[in-house]
Coordinates of all heavy atoms in Angstrom, one line a residue:
M1 N 0.8 -1.2 0.0 CA 0.0 0.0 0.0 C 0.9 1.2 0.0 O 1.8 1.3 0.8 CB -0.9 0.0 1.2 CG -1.9 1.1 1.2 SD -3.0 1.1 2.6 CE -2.0 1.8 3.9
K2 N 0.5 2.2 -0.8 CA 1.3 3.4 -0.9 C 0.9 4.4 0.2 O -0.3 4.6 0.5 CB 1.1 4.1 -2.3 CG 2.1 5.2 -2.6 CD 2.0 5.6 -4.0 CE 3.1 6.6 -4.3 NZ 3.1 7.1 -5.7
L3 N 2.0 4.9 0.9 CA 1.7 5.8 2.0 C 1.2 7.2 1.5 O 1.6 7.7 0.5 CB 3.1 6.1 2.7 CG 3.0 6.8 4.0 CD1 2.1 6.1 5.0 CD2 4.4 7.0 4.6
R4 N 0.1 7.7 2.1 CA -0.5 8.9 1.7 C -0.3 10.0 2.8 O -0.3 9.6 4.0 CB -2.0 8.8 1.4 CG -2.4 7.7 0.5 CD -1.8 7.8 -0.8 NE -2.1 9.0 -1.5 CZ -1.6 9.4 -2.6 NH1 -0.8 8.6 -3.3 NH2 -1.9 10.5 -3.2
Y5 N -0.2 11.2 2.4 CA -0.1 12.3 3.4 C -1.4 13.2 3.3 O -2.3 12.9 2.5 CB 1.2 13.1 3.2 CG 2.4 12.2 3.4 CD1 2.9 11.5 2.4 CD2 2.9 12.1 4.7 CE1 4.0 10.6 2.7 CE2 4.0 11.3 5.0 CZ 4.5 10.5 3.9 OH 5.6 9.7 4.2
L6 N -1.4 14.2 4.0 CA -2.6 15.1 3.9 C -2.7 15.7 2.5 O -1.7 16.0 1.9 CB -2.4 16.2 5.0 CG -2.4 15.8 6.4 CD1 -2.1 16.9 7.3 CD2 -3.7 15.2 6.8
R7 N -3.9 15.8 2.1 CA -4.1 16.2 0.7 C -3.9 17.7 0.4 O -4.3 18.5 1.3 CB -5.6 15.8 0.3 CG -5.8 14.4 0.2 CD -7.3 14.1 0.0 NE -7.8 14.6 -1.3 CZ -7.7 13.9 -2.4 NH1 -7.2 12.7 -2.4 NH2 -8.2 14.4 -3.5
N8 N -3.3 18.0 -0.7 CA -3.1 19.3 -1.2 C -2.4 20.3 -0.2 O -2.7 21.4 -0.2 CB -4.5 20.0 -1.5 CG -5.2 19.2 -2.5 OD1 -4.6 18.7 -3.5 ND2 -6.5 19.0 -2.3
I9 N -1.4 19.7 0.5 CA -0.7 20.6 1.4 C 0.8 20.6 1.1 O 1.6 21.4 1.6 CB -0.9 20.4 2.9 CG1 -0.4 19.0 3.2 CG2 -2.4 20.5 3.2 CD1 -0.2 18.8 4.7
S10 N 1.3 19.7 0.3 CA 2.8 19.6 0.1 C 3.2 20.9 -0.6 O 2.6 21.4 -1.5 CB 3.1 18.4 -0.8 OG 4.5 18.5 -1.2
S11 N 4.4 21.4 -0.2 CA 5.0 22.6 -0.7 C 5.8 22.4 -2.0 O 6.4 23.3 -2.6 CB 5.9 23.3 0.3 OG 6.9 22.4 0.7
L12 N 5.8 21.1 -2.5 CA 6.6 20.7 -3.6 C 6.2 21.5 -4.9 O 5.1 21.6 -5.2 CB 6.5 19.2 -3.8 CG 7.3 18.6 -5.0 CD1 8.8 18.6 -4.7 CD2 6.8 17.2 -5.3
A13 N 7.3 21.9 -5.6 CA 7.0 22.6 -6.9 C 8.3 22.4 -7.8 O 9.4 22.3 -7.3 CB 6.7 24.0 -6.8
V14 N 8.1 22.3 -9.1 CA 9.2 22.2 -10.1 C 9.2 23.5 -10.9 O 8.1 23.9 -11.4 CB 9.0 21.0 -11.0 CG1 10.1 21.0 -12.1 CG2 9.0 19.7 -10.2
V15 N 10.4 24.1 -11.0 CA 10.5 25.2 -11.9 C 10.8 24.7 -13.3 O 12.0 24.3 -13.6 CB 11.6 26.2 -11.4 CG1 11.8 27.4 -12.3 CG2 11.4 26.6 -10.0
N16 N 9.8 24.6 -14.1 CA 9.9 24.0 -15.4 C 11.1 24.5 -16.3 O 11.8 23.7 -17.0 CB 8.6 24.1 -16.2 CG 7.6 23.2 -15.6 OD1 7.8 22.2 -15.1 ND2 6.3 23.7 -15.7
E17 N 11.3 25.8 -16.3 CA 12.3 26.4 -17.1 C 13.7 25.9 -16.8 O 14.7 25.9 -17.6 CB 12.3 27.9 -17.0 CG 11.0 28.6 -17.3 CD 10.0 28.4 -16.2 OE1 10.3 28.7 -15.1 OE2 8.8 28.0 -16.5
K18 N 13.9 25.5 -15.5 CA 15.3 25.0 -15.1 C 15.5 23.5 -15.3 O 16.6 23.1 -15.3 CB 15.5 25.3 -13.6 CG 15.5 26.8 -13.3 CD 15.8 27.0 -11.8 CE 16.0 28.4 -11.4 NZ 16.2 28.6 -9.9
C19 N 14.4 22.8 -15.4 CA 14.6 21.3 -15.5 C 15.0 20.9 -16.9 O 14.5 21.3 -17.9 CB 13.2 20.7 -15.2 SG 13.2 18.9 -15.4
I20 N 16.0 19.9 -16.9 CA 16.5 19.4 -18.1 C 16.2 17.9 -18.3 O 16.6 17.3 -19.2 CB 18.0 19.6 -18.3 CG1 18.8 18.8 -17.2 CG2 18.4 21.0 -18.3 CD1 20.1 18.2 -17.6
G21 N 15.4 17.4 -17.3 CA 14.9 16.0 -17.4 C 16.0 15.0 -17.2 O 16.0 13.9 -17.7
C22 N 16.9 15.3 -16.3 CA 18.0 14.3 -16.0 C 17.6 13.1 -15.2 O 18.3 12.1 -15.1 CB 19.2 15.0 -15.2 SG 18.7 15.5 -13.6
A23 N 16.4 13.2 -14.5 CA 15.8 12.1 -13.8 C 16.4 11.8 -12.4 O 16.1 10.9 -11.8 CB 15.7 10.9 -14.6
M24 N 17.4 12.7 -12.0 CA 18.0 12.5 -10.7 C 16.9 12.5 -9.6 O 16.9 11.7 -8.6 CB 19.0 13.6 -10.4 CG 19.7 13.4 -9.1 SD 20.8 11.9 -9.0 CE 22.2 12.5 -9.9
C25 N 15.9 13.4 -9.7 CA 14.9 13.5 -8.6 C 14.1 12.2 -8.6 O 13.6 11.8 -7.5 CB 14.0 14.7 -8.9 SG 13.3 14.7 -10.6
I26 N 13.9 11.6 -9.7 CA 13.1 10.3 -9.7 C 13.9 9.2 -9.0 O 13.4 8.4 -8.3 CB 12.8 9.9 -11.2 CG1 11.8 10.9 -11.8 CG2 12.3 8.5 -11.3 CD1 11.5 10.7 -13.3
D27 N 15.2 9.2 -9.3 CA 16.1 8.2 -8.6 C 16.1 8.3 -7.1 O 16.1 7.3 -6.4 CB 17.5 8.3 -9.1 CG 17.7 7.9 -10.6 OD1 16.8 7.3 -11.1 OD2 18.7 8.3 -11.2
V28 N 16.0 9.5 -6.6 CA 16.2 9.7 -5.1 C 14.8 9.7 -4.4 O 14.8 9.6 -3.2 CB 17.0 10.9 -4.8 CG1 18.4 10.8 -5.4 CG2 16.3 12.2 -5.2
C29 N 13.8 10.0 -5.1 CA 12.5 10.1 -4.4 C 12.0 8.8 -3.9 O 11.8 7.8 -4.7 CB 11.4 10.7 -5.3 SG 9.8 10.9 -4.5
P30 N 11.7 8.6 -2.6 CA 11.2 7.3 -2.1 C 9.7 7.1 -2.3 O 9.2 6.0 -2.0 CB 11.5 7.5 -0.6 CG 11.4 8.9 -0.3 CD 11.9 9.6 -1.6
H31 N 9.0 8.0 -2.9 CA 7.6 7.8 -3.1 C 7.0 8.0 -4.5 O 5.8 8.3 -4.6 CB 6.8 8.8 -2.1 CG 7.0 8.4 -0.7 ND1 6.5 7.3 -0.1 CD2 7.8 9.0 0.3 CE1 6.8 7.2 1.2 NE2 7.6 8.3 1.4
D32 N 7.9 7.9 -5.5 CA 7.4 7.9 -6.9 C 6.5 9.1 -7.2 O 5.4 9.0 -7.7 CB 6.6 6.6 -7.2 CG 7.5 5.4 -7.1 OD1 8.7 5.5 -7.4 OD2 7.0 4.3 -6.7
V33 N 7.0 10.3 -6.8 CA 6.2 11.5 -7.0 C 6.3 12.1 -8.4 O 5.4 12.7 -8.9 CB 6.6 12.6 -5.9 CG1 6.0 13.9 -6.2 CG2 6.3 12.1 -4.5
F34 N 7.4 11.7 -9.1 CA 7.7 12.4 -10.4 C 7.7 11.4 -11.5 O 7.8 10.1 -11.3 CB 9.2 12.9 -10.4 CG 9.4 13.9 -9.3 CD1 10.2 13.6 -8.2 CD2 8.9 15.2 -9.4 CE1 10.5 14.5 -7.2 CE2 9.2 16.1 -8.4 CZ 10.0 15.8 -7.3
R35 N 7.5 11.9 -12.7 CA 7.7 11.1 -14.0 C 8.3 12.1 -15.0 O 8.0 13.3 -15.1 CB 6.3 10.6 -14.4 CG 6.4 9.9 -15.7 CD 5.0 9.5 -16.2 NE 4.3 8.6 -15.3 CZ 3.0 8.6 -15.2 NH1 2.2 9.3 -16.0 NH2 2.4 7.8 -14.4
I36 N 9.1 11.5 -15.9 CA 9.6 12.3 -17.0 C 8.6 12.3 -18.1 O 8.1 11.2 -18.5 CB 10.9 11.7 -17.6 CG1 12.1 11.8 -16.5 CG2 11.3 12.4 -18.9 CD1 12.5 13.2 -16.3
E37 N 8.2 13.4 -18.6 CA 7.3 13.6 -19.8 C 8.0 14.5 -20.7 O 8.2 15.7 -20.4 CB 5.9 14.0 -19.3 CG 5.2 13.0 -18.6 CD 3.7 13.3 -18.3 OE1 3.3 14.4 -18.6 OE2 3.1 12.5 -17.6
G38 N 8.2 14.1 -21.9 CA 9.0 14.9 -22.9 C 10.4 15.0 -22.4 O 11.0 14.0 -22.0
K39 N 10.9 16.2 -22.2 CA 12.2 16.4 -21.7 C 12.3 17.1 -20.4 O 13.3 17.6 -19.9 CB 13.0 17.3 -22.7 CG 13.2 16.6 -24.1 CD 14.1 17.3 -25.0 CE 14.3 16.5 -26.3 NZ 15.1 17.2 -27.2
R40 N 11.2 17.0 -19.6 CA 11.1 17.6 -18.3 C 10.4 16.6 -17.3 O 9.7 15.7 -17.7 CB 10.3 18.9 -18.4 CG 11.1 20.0 -19.1 CD 10.6 21.3 -18.8 NE 11.5 22.4 -19.3 CZ 11.4 23.0 -20.4 NH1 10.4 22.6 -21.2 NH2 12.2 23.9 -20.8
V41 N 10.6 16.9 -16.1 CA 10.0 16.1 -15.0 C 8.6 16.7 -14.7 O 8.4 18.0 -14.8 CB 10.9 16.0 -13.8 CG1 10.8 17.2 -12.9 CG2 10.5 14.7 -13.0
R42 N 7.7 15.9 -14.3 CA 6.4 16.4 -14.0 C 6.0 15.7 -12.6 O 6.3 14.6 -12.4 CB 5.3 16.0 -15.0 CG 4.0 16.7 -14.9 CD 3.2 16.6 -16.2 NE 2.5 15.3 -16.2 CZ 1.4 15.0 -15.7 NH1 0.7 15.9 -14.9 NH2 0.8 13.8 -15.8
I43 N 5.3 16.5 -11.8 CA 4.8 16.0 -10.5 C 3.5 15.2 -10.8 O 2.6 15.8 -11.3 CB 4.5 17.1 -9.5 CG1 5.8 17.8 -9.2 CG2 3.9 16.5 -8.2 CD1 5.6 19.1 -8.4
I44 N 3.5 13.9 -10.5 CA 2.3 13.1 -10.8 C 1.6 12.7 -9.6 O 0.4 12.2 -9.7 CB 2.7 11.8 -11.7 CG1 3.7 11.0 -10.9 CG2 3.2 12.2 -13.0 CD1 3.7 9.5 -11.4
D45 N 2.2 12.8 -8.4 CA 1.5 12.4 -7.2 C 2.0 13.2 -6.0 O 2.7 12.8 -5.1 CB 1.8 10.9 -6.9 CG 0.8 10.3 -5.9 OD1 0.0 11.1 -5.4 OD2 1.0 9.1 -5.6
K46 N 1.6 14.5 -6.0 CA 2.0 15.5 -5.0 C 1.7 15.1 -3.6 O 2.4 15.3 -2.7 CB 1.4 16.8 -5.4 CG 2.1 18.0 -4.6 CD 1.6 19.3 -5.2 CE 2.2 20.4 -4.4 NZ 1.9 21.7 -5.0
D47 N 0.5 14.4 -3.4 CA 0.1 14.1 -2.1 C 0.9 12.9 -1.5 O 0.8 12.6 -0.3 CB -1.4 13.6 -2.1 CG -2.3 14.8 -2.3 OD1 -1.9 16.0 -2.1 OD2 -3.5 14.6 -2.8
A48 N 1.7 12.3 -2.3 CA 2.6 11.2 -1.8 C 3.9 11.8 -1.3 O 4.7 11.1 -0.6 CB 2.9 10.2 -2.9
C49 N 4.2 13.1 -1.5 CA 5.4 13.8 -1.1 C 5.4 14.0 0.4 O 4.5 14.6 1.0 CB 5.6 15.1 -1.8 SG 7.0 16.1 -1.2
M50 N 6.5 13.6 1.1 CA 6.6 13.8 2.5 C 7.6 14.9 2.9 O 8.0 15.1 4.0 CB 7.1 12.5 3.2 CG 8.4 12.0 2.8 SD 8.9 10.5 3.7 CE 10.5 10.2 3.1
E51 N 7.9 15.7 1.9 CA 8.8 16.9 2.0 C 10.1 16.5 2.7 O 10.6 17.3 3.5 CB 8.0 18.0 2.8 CG 6.8 18.5 2.1 CD 6.1 19.6 2.8 OE1 6.0 19.6 4.1 OE2 5.5 20.5 2.1
C52 N 10.7 15.4 2.2 CA 12.0 15.0 2.8 C 13.1 15.8 2.2 O 14.2 16.0 2.9 CB 12.2 13.5 2.5 SG 12.5 13.1 0.8
G53 N 12.9 16.4 1.1 CA 14.0 17.3 0.5 C 15.0 16.6 -0.4 O 15.9 17.3 -0.9
A54 N 15.0 15.3 -0.5 CA 16.0 14.6 -1.3 C 16.1 15.1 -2.7 O 17.2 15.2 -3.3 CB 15.7 13.1 -1.2
C55 N 14.9 15.3 -3.3 CA 14.9 15.7 -4.7 C 15.5 17.1 -4.8 O 16.4 17.4 -5.7 CB 13.5 15.8 -5.2 SG 12.3 16.7 -4.2
K56 N 15.2 18.0 -3.9 CA 15.8 19.4 -4.0 C 17.3 19.4 -3.8 O 18.0 20.0 -4.5 CB 15.1 20.2 -2.9 CG 15.6 21.7 -2.9 CD 14.9 22.4 -1.8 CE 15.4 23.9 -1.7 NZ 14.7 24.6 -0.6
R57 N 17.7 18.6 -2.8 CA 19.2 18.5 -2.6 C 20.0 17.9 -3.7 O 21.1 18.3 -4.0 CB 19.4 17.7 -1.3 CG 19.2 18.4 0.0 CD 19.8 17.6 1.2 NE 19.3 16.3 1.3 CZ 18.1 15.9 1.9 NH1 17.3 16.9 2.4 NH2 17.7 14.7 1.9
N58 N 19.4 17.0 -4.5 CA 20.1 16.3 -5.5 C 19.8 16.9 -6.9 O 20.5 16.4 -7.9 CB 19.7 14.8 -5.5 CG 20.3 14.1 -4.3 OD1 21.5 13.8 -4.3 ND2 19.6 13.9 -3.2
C59 N 19.0 17.8 -7.1 CA 18.7 18.4 -8.4 C 19.9 19.3 -8.8 O 20.2 20.3 -8.1 CB 17.4 19.2 -8.5 SG 17.2 20.0 -10.1
P60 N 20.6 19.0 -9.8 CA 21.8 19.7 -10.2 C 21.5 21.1 -10.8 O 22.4 21.9 -11.0 CB 22.5 18.9 -11.3 CG 21.5 17.9 -11.7 CD 20.4 17.8 -10.7
F61 N 20.2 21.4 -11.0 CA 19.9 22.7 -11.6 C 18.9 23.5 -10.8 O 18.3 24.4 -11.2 CB 19.2 22.4 -13.0 CG 20.2 21.8 -14.0 CD1 20.3 20.4 -14.1 CD2 21.1 22.5 -14.6 CE1 21.2 19.8 -14.9 CE2 22.1 22.0 -15.5 CZ 22.1 20.6 -15.6
S62 N 18.8 23.1 -9.5 CA 18.0 23.9 -8.6 C 16.6 24.1 -9.1 O 16.0 25.2 -9.0 CB 18.6 25.2 -8.2 OG 19.9 25.0 -7.7
A63 N 16.0 23.0 -9.7 CA 14.7 23.2 -10.3 C 13.6 22.8 -9.4 O 12.4 22.8 -9.8 CB 14.7 22.3 -11.6
I64 N 13.9 22.3 -8.2 CA 12.8 21.9 -7.3 C 12.8 22.8 -6.1 O 13.8 23.1 -5.5 CB 13.1 20.4 -6.9 CG1 13.0 19.5 -8.1 CG2 12.0 20.0 -5.8 CD1 13.2 18.1 -7.9
E65 N 11.6 23.1 -5.7 CA 11.4 23.9 -4.5 C 10.5 23.1 -3.5 O 9.4 22.6 -4.0 CB 10.7 25.2 -4.8 CG 11.6 26.1 -5.7 CD 10.9 27.4 -6.2 OE1 9.7 27.5 -5.9 OE2 11.5 28.2 -6.8
V66 N 10.9 22.9 -2.3 CA 10.1 22.2 -1.3 C 10.5 22.7 0.1 O 11.7 22.9 0.3 CB 10.2 20.7 -1.5 CG1 11.6 20.2 -1.2 CG2 9.2 20.0 -0.6
T67 N 9.6 22.9 0.9 CA 9.9 23.3 2.3 C 10.1 22.0 3.1 O 9.2 21.2 3.2 CB 8.8 24.1 2.9 OG1 8.6 25.3 2.1 CG2 9.1 24.6 4.4
T68 N 11.3 21.8 3.6 CA 11.6 20.5 4.2 C 11.5 20.5 5.7 O 11.5 21.5 6.4 CB 13.0 20.1 3.9 OG1 13.9 21.1 4.3 CG2 13.2 19.9 2.4
G69 N 11.3 19.3 6.3 CA 11.5 19.1 7.7 C 10.2 19.2 8.5 O 10.1 19.0 9.7
T70 N 9.1 19.5 7.8 CA 7.8 19.7 8.5 C 6.8 18.6 8.3 O 5.8 18.4 9.0 CB 7.1 21.0 8.2 OG1 6.8 21.0 6.8 CG2 8.0 22.2 8.5
G71 N 7.1 17.8 7.2 CA 6.1 16.7 6.9 C 4.8 17.3 6.6 O 3.7 16.6 6.8
G72 N 4.7 18.5 6.0 CA 3.4 19.1 5.7 C 2.6 19.7 6.8 O 1.5 20.1 6.7
L73 N 3.3 19.9 7.9 CA 2.6 20.4 9.1 C 2.3 21.9 9.1 O 1.4 22.4 9.7 CB 3.4 20.0 10.4 CG 2.9 18.8 11.1 CD1 3.7 18.6 12.4 CD2 1.4 19.0 11.6
V74 N 3.2 22.6 8.4 CA 3.1 24.1 8.5 C 1.7 24.6 8.0 O 1.1 25.4 8.8 CB 4.2 24.8 7.7 CG1 4.0 26.2 7.4 CG2 5.5 24.6 8.4
P75 N 1.2 24.2 6.9 CA -0.1 24.7 6.5 C -1.2 24.3 7.4 O -2.2 25.0 7.6 CB -0.3 24.2 5.1 CG 0.7 23.1 4.9 CD 1.8 23.4 5.8
V76 N -1.1 23.1 8.0 CA -2.1 22.7 8.9 C -2.2 23.6 10.2 O -3.2 24.0 10.6 CB -1.9 21.2 9.3 CG1 -2.9 20.8 10.4 CG2 -2.0 20.3 8.1
L77 N -1.0 23.8 10.7 CA -0.9 24.7 11.9 C -1.3 26.1 11.6 O -2.0 26.8 12.4 CB 0.6 24.7 12.4 CG 1.1 23.4 13.0 CD1 2.5 23.5 13.3 CD2 0.3 23.1 14.2
E78 N -1.0 26.6 10.4 CA -1.4 28.0 10.0 C -2.9 28.1 9.9 O -3.5 29.0 10.4 CB -0.8 28.3 8.6 CG 0.6 28.7 8.7 CD 1.3 29.0 7.4 OE1 0.7 28.7 6.3 OE2 2.4 29.4 7.3
E79 N -3.6 27.0 9.4 CA -5.0 27.0 9.3 C -5.6 27.0 10.7 O -6.6 27.7 11.0 CB -5.5 25.8 8.5 CG -7.0 25.9 8.2 CD -7.4 24.7 7.3 OE1 -6.7 24.3 6.5 OE2 -8.6 24.3 7.5
M80 N -5.0 26.2 11.6 CA -5.5 26.1 13.0 C -5.4 27.4 13.7 O -6.3 27.9 14.4 CB -4.8 25.0 13.8 CG -5.1 23.6 13.3 SD -4.0 22.4 14.1 CE -4.4 22.5 15.8
M81 N -4.3 28.1 13.5 CA -4.1 29.4 14.1 C -5.1 30.5 13.6 O -5.6 31.3 14.3 CB -2.7 29.9 13.8 CG -1.6 29.1 14.4 SD -1.6 29.0 16.2 CE -0.8 30.5 16.6
Q82 N -5.4 30.4 12.3 CA -6.4 31.3 11.7 C -7.8 31.1 12.3 O -8.5 32.1 12.6 CB -6.4 31.2 10.2 CG -5.3 31.8 9.5 CD -5.2 31.6 8.0 OE1 -6.1 30.9 7.5 NE2 -4.2 32.1 7.3
K83 N -8.1 29.9 12.5 CA -9.4 29.6 13.1 C -9.6 30.1 14.5 O -10.6 30.4 15.0 CB -9.7 28.0 13.1 CG -10.1 27.6 11.7 CD -10.3 26.1 11.6 CE -10.6 25.6 10.2 NZ -10.7 24.2 10.1
K84 N -8.4 30.1 15.3 CA -8.4 30.5 16.7 C -8.5 32.0 16.7 O -8.9 32.6 17.7 CB -7.2 30.0 17.4 CG -7.3 28.6 17.8 CD -6.2 28.2 18.8 CE -6.5 26.8 19.3 NZ -5.6 26.5 20.4
A85 N -7.9 32.7 15.7 CA -7.9 34.2 15.7 C -9.2 34.8 15.6 O -10.2 34.3 15.1 CB -6.9 34.7 14.6
Ligands
SF4_101 S1 16.7 16.5 -10.9 FE1 16.2 18.6 -11.4 S2 16.8 18.9 -13.6 FE2 16.8 16.7 -13.1 S3 14.8 15.9 -13.8 FE3 14.6 16.4 -11.6 S4 13.9 18.6 -11.5 FE4 14.7 18.2 -13.6
SF4_102 S1 10.6 15.9 -1.1 FE1 11.1 13.7 -0.9 S2 9.1 12.7 -1.1 FE2 8.8 14.8 -1.8 S3 9.1 14.6 -4.0 FE3 11.1 15.2 -3.1 S4 12.2 13.2 -2.7 FE4 10.0 12.8 -3.1

């Protein structure tokens, strides 16, 4: 069974103009989040991303943006704080 995280909260993004499709991010991602389509990588399963940062650290062209170390908790906490305010 594939591990799922909270829906629509991962901070993961690819800067398409920087990506050359080397597939390094696919090699290091533990959750099959990416796929090569054409000559660039595409995010195919964003909700499977646990924000570990391996793809960002290993991309030779700095084409990946992700906020690491929170496991998707930041937006959840922000929403909770807004409801309390
Ligand atoms: S590692 Fe970077 S340049 Fe290579 S396919 Fe992934 S996003 Fe594109
Ligand atoms: S942050 Fe980790 S889980 Fe998310 S896409 Fe990158 S390597 Fe995969």
Side-chain angles (χ1 to χ4, degrees):
M1 186 177 79
K2 192 167 185 179
L3 191 58
R4 310 301 306 176
Y5 294 89
L6 297 172
R7 292 171 63 87
N8 300 320
I9 64 163
S10 172
S11 59
L12 181 70
V14 175
V15 181
N16 287 330
E17 304 76 47
K18 292 184 178 180
C19 175
I20 63 146
C22 70
M24 182 65 81
C25 53
I26 293 175
D27 289 344
V28 300
C29 178
H31 291 289
D32 298 326
V33 171
F34 302 107
R35 178 185 299 154
I36 294 291
E37 288 188 0
K39 294 186 176 178
R40 292 200 166 92
V41 80
R42 194 166 78 84
I43 298 170
I44 58 163
D45 194 0
K46 192 168 177 175
D47 290 339
C49 174
M50 62 178 184
E51 298 183 325
C52 69
C55 54
K56 180 180 178 179
R57 282 194 302 277
N58 287 283
C59 175
F61 297 94
S62 302
I64 296 178
E65 296 173 355
V66 63
T67 303
T68 59
T70 63
L73 261 180
V74 167
V76 174
L77 291 173
E78 284 175 350
E79 188 177 327
M80 288 171 67
M81 296 298 280
Q82 283 174 0
K83 283 180 182 170
K84 281 193 170 189

